Amino acid sequence: MLAAVLQVRAGSLQVMLWERAREPHAHRWSLPGGGLGDDEDVEASIRRQLAEKVDVRQLSHVEQLAVFSNPARVPGPRVVATAFLGLVPSHIDPLVPSDTAWHPVDALPATAFDHEAICRRARSRLASKLSYTNLGFALAPPEFTISALRSLYSAALGYKVSATNLQRVLSRRGLLEPTGGTVQPGPSGGRPAALFRFVSGEMRITDPFAVLRPPSARSLGP
Amino acid sequence: MLAAVLQVRAGSLQVMLWERAREPHAHRWSLPGGGLGDDEDVEASIRRQLAEKVDVRQLSHVEQLAVFSNPARVPGPRVVATAFLGLVPSHIDPLVPSDTAWHPVDALPATAFDHEAICRRARSRLASKLSYTNLGFALAPPEFTISALRSLYSAALGYKVSATNLQRVLSRRGLLEPTGGTVQPGPSGGRPAALFRFVSGEMRITDPFAVLRPPSARSLGP
DNA sequence: CAGGTTTTCGCCTAACGGTCGAAAACGTGG
DNA sequence: CCACGTTTTCGACCGTTAGGCGAAAACCTG
């Protein structure tokens, strides 16, 4: 039971790690996690484990990633880890214990065990799902401007995206909705930016390729 | 450690199940699987378990599906199951033990535990991946006609697909290649069908939405 | 009010998928 | 051996989508 909790912080995608005090792998950085209790499923368990590090109500999304089970992944007796991906919206700054800190995913410190591989999997899962789902809602605050959303996507994906296209694509899929409000421009001026929200907090997938879908089941309405 | 092994047989997507002889859930149908050994990872383990049912060399694809961990999913002490999706190409008819048989996924017999839910997950994963990867290679024989491929896709997806479109889409993505050979028409006549193959046996994904991809990283060639 | 900045919007083009119908290439029956 | 049915293949057309660009809108400062 391990979780890579990701958040866009200061313009880069970061992961929550804690520094191990004891062997094995003392002073290396490790993903939060722990053992499975008798009366809980893995989802409940990872939420319980994460509660020791952050307020779990701040987690906007949690999903299974994969099972890591190499017999040599940790020294000593074999430990099978079910890895999770967790997301925190960018407007929140969770209070974390003193042994815990955020690290940019493309500049990780020395990590324990196979946790770097798990982080890579989490990044890649997030990047994929940003493209064909509305998972962006889990990274973004309730309301945001298009340029703010653009920087979130850029940070999470690792490359620049076009604000024009981002807005058009998400709108056409029916995922984005204007709130009506606007935001005051910065000290350097500029047109006030309009505020948007994601239309629902549930996960919705836009079927990647309609390829061979029956005409009735097309992705969206007008 | 459980696997839903799927194959298109007689025009429908079917799953390999074995009939339980003993309690609990005697006479109900169950997915093959078993416990994890000390010196193997979960992939190796599920292949070892499946070897008791089929020749594992006939498995064209195996991947992790999800962890099923509801404390009440099986009676008695809690069992956490890592579920897998396995695929067998349609030209093979594996020899299976006498307690084992294939069942159409949309007409399952009485199943044991939560195995029906696992089958549903396997179906849905297969359907998704057929749309945005070249996973079709794992369902199809080495060479096939477009209409044969069309019926494979139709069976696996659960709805009719267009042969014209299937060929164009797969070709455009660079996944399909003509072998040059043709097939004799049936007794009722018709133009001889050309033979095709998938260009490589490895898994390749066609990125769903280029949405915000840098121009360089576009999906395909010329 | 002129110049700079940021956001928004419309237009153009290329690519993709859905559909249709014609043409190709075979068999069969008269 | 020729007309007909059958099956596959291919080209054409159309609507939708995404990428890119540039103009216009709306604000700031000096």
Side-chain angles (χ1 to χ4, degrees), chain A residues 104-167:
Chain A
V105 290
D106 39 41
L108 289 180
T111 51
F113 314 126
D114 54 355
H115 293 192
E116 185 173 344
I118 298 177
C119 287
R120 272 199 303 272
R121 282 288 275 278
R123 286 181 70 177
S124 118
R125 172 75 64 91
L126 173 62
S128 302
K129 285 213 165 182
L130 280 181
S131 289
Y132 66 94
T133 72
N134 63 344
L135 195 53
F137 80 83
L139 292 179
E143 300 194 354
F144 46 85
T145 65
I146 294 298
S147 49
L149 191 63
R150 188 189 87 96
S151 26
L152 284 181
Y153 272 71
S154 295
L157 293 170
Y159 48 79
K160 292 272 168 271
V161 302
S162 142
T164 299
N165 219 18
L166 182 61
Q167 173 175 10

Side-chain angles (χ1 to χ4, degrees), chain A residues 158-182:
Chain A
Y159 48 79
K160 292 272 168 271
V161 302
S162 142
T164 299
N165 219 18
L166 182 61
Q167 173 175 10
R168 179 178 39 207
V169 166
L170 294 181
S171 301
R172 186 138 51 193
R173 291 181 193 162
L175 306 179
L176 221 53
E177 192 179 53
T179 69
T182 57

Side-chain angles (χ1 to χ4, degrees), chain B residues 162 164-165 168-169 172-173 185-187 189-192:
Chain B
S162 143
T164 299
N165 219 18
R168 180 180 38 202
V169 166
R172 193 144 44 191
R173 291 180 194 164
R191 176 171 172 168

Side-chain angles (χ1 to χ4, degrees), chain B residues 33 47-56 95-97 99-100:
Chain B
R47 287 183 191 272
R48 181 174 58 78
Q49 306 291 347
L50 289 176
E52 298 171 9
K53 300 292 180 184
V54 291
D55 182 350
V56 286
L95 201 58
V96 296
D99 64 351
T100 305

